[in-house]
Amino acid sequence: MKKFIVCLSVLALILGMVGMASAEQFTMDSYNVSLNTADPGLVLYWEPIQTTPVSGYYNPGDSETFALFRIGTRENSVGLDDIFPKQIAVNFSFSAPPGVVLDNVDGYTRGQYLGDLGKVVWDGPAVFAFGNGGEFRITLENDSFGTPGYADIEARFCYVRASVPEPMSLLLLGLGLLGLGAARRKK
């Protein structure tokens, strides 16, 4: 009977720890870039580099940087109408982890007379919440490109904080520890 209680306690402990494991699967199903495609303003285009869906397992604190998309212009020079900032946004769609609250990375693009350059500047990272307090972020790099020309925009994915474990995982962990303690005490 004692061996049964110890085995049952160890099983509950293992199941509780598996439920609390911090490695999480992330699956980005798609992304889309909204930008200025007609005058006035610098006329832009974008092309995906990172194909979707893309999936991976990460632990809190893990990060990865990869080329996400190419942005550019076919205009030969920067005109007066091109120097005024125009909105740009990248929208993301995730199917994992479940319950992701979606966010965008917003910024602006504009032309620059000196050097005939196009610029893209991002306001800040997109912050995605999931589960019970989980968080990850996507930060895009600012860049510039010639006219005509393009730049490859890199994205930095960072798993900031794990979701608080569900109550059942904590219960199983607690029962496992209690059972092991009780078996030890009887000894």
Side-chain angles (χ1 to χ4, degrees), residues 101-168:
V101 177
L102 298 180
D103 195 5
N104 303 328
V105 179
D106 297 311
Y108 67 89
T109 60
R110 68 178 180 81
Q112 178 179 312
Y113 270 134
L114 294 175
D116 270 334
L117 296 174
K119 297 185 80 152
V120 60
V121 178
W122 304 103
D123 294 336
V127 179
F128 300 89
F130 67 94
N132 187 12
E135 182 181 306
F136 66 97
R137 295 180 184 167
I138 297 179
T139 306
L140 301 179
E141 76 169 11
N142 297 335
D143 215 334
S144 58
F145 46 91
T147 54
Y150 64 85
D152 291 345
I153 301 298
E154 289 196 344
R156 181 173 179 263
F157 171 87
C158 183
Y159 184 8
V160 178
R161 181 175 44 246
S163 181
V164 175
E166 62 196 50
M168 185 54 87

Side-chain angles (χ1 to χ4, degrees), residues 12-167:
L13 187 63
I14 290 170
L15 288 175
M17 287 179 11
V18 166
M20 292 175 42
S22 55
E24 187 79 51
Q25 178 181 3
F26 291 87
T27 303
M28 180 174 59
D29 294 318
S30 64
Y31 64 96
N32 186 48
V33 180
S34 303
L35 45 71
N36 188 51
T37 58
D39 280 326
L42 193 60
V43 178
L44 302 170
Y45 69 90
W46 78 278
E47 300 169 348
I49 295 175
Q50 179 64 54
T51 58
T52 56
V54 61
S55 189
Y57 286 88
Y58 299 91
N59 289 301
D62 287 352
S63 66
E64 180 179 6
T65 302
F66 51 90
L68 185 62
F69 64 91
R70 176 170 290 152
I71 185 172
T73 185
R74 292 181 177 90
E75 290 191 39
N76 290 318
S77 63
V78 174
L80 206 61
D81 69 317
D82 299 331
I83 63 173
F84 298 104
K86 294 290 184 174
Q87 289 284 96
I88 185 171
V90 182
N91 309 24
F92 298 91
S93 174
F94 285 84
S95 60
V100 172
V101 177
L102 298 180
D103 195 5
N104 303 328
V105 179
D106 297 311
Y108 67 89
T109 60
R110 68 178 180 81
Q112 178 179 312
Y113 270 134
L114 294 175
D116 270 334
L117 296 174
K119 297 185 80 152
V120 60
V121 178
W122 304 103
D123 294 336
V127 179
F128 300 89
F130 67 94
N132 187 12
E135 182 181 306
F136 66 97
R137 295 180 184 167
I138 297 179
T139 306
L140 301 179
E141 76 169 11
N142 297 335
D143 215 334
S144 58
F145 46 91
T147 54
Y150 64 85
D152 291 345
I153 301 298
E154 289 196 344
R156 181 173 179 263
F157 171 87
C158 183
Y159 184 8
V160 178
R161 181 175 44 246
S163 181
V164 175
E166 62 196 50

